[in-house]
Amino acid sequence: MGGRLLQQVLHRRVPQVLGVYLAAGWGALEFSDWATGRLAWSPAVPDLTAGLWLAALPVVLVMAWRYGAPGPQHGSLRQS
């Protein structure tokens, strides 16, 4: 069971999507921290950025699982 799940995760490119998401989020956090110091943005901006980044993580993982498999993609989540 565990080996099959791991094969599915790798086949659906979930680690690649997660890596890109983490790198982009890190960049967004760095930018918000820089902008807070240089552009006189509110000190809450980095915290808000981190909160939104973490809140979107489950959505990114579900979308990676659903649409990450190679081959033709289907536009609807409904099964016919």
Side-chain angles (χ1 to χ4, degrees):
M1 172 77 179
R4 181 164 160 77
L5 178 62
L6 179 60
Q7 287 176 348
Q8 282 291 318
V9 166
L10 294 176
H11 175 73
R12 294 174 182 265
R13 300 183 186 131
V14 174
Q16 290 92 333
V17 171
L18 180 60
V20 170
Y21 181 74
L22 292 176
W26 177 79
L29 286 172
E30 288 295 316
F31 176 77
S32 67
D33 189 44
W34 173 84
T36 299
R38 298 282 173 110
L39 303 177
W41 285 4
S42 170
V45 170
D47 294 334
L48 179 62
T49 304
L52 292 173
W53 183 41
L54 291 175
L57 180 60
V59 175
V60 169
L61 291 176
V62 167
M63 296 300 285
W65 177 264
R66 175 71 172 108
Y67 295 107
Q73 302 297 309
H74 304 286
S76 174
L77 292 177
R78 296 184 308 160
Q79 298 294 324
S80 299

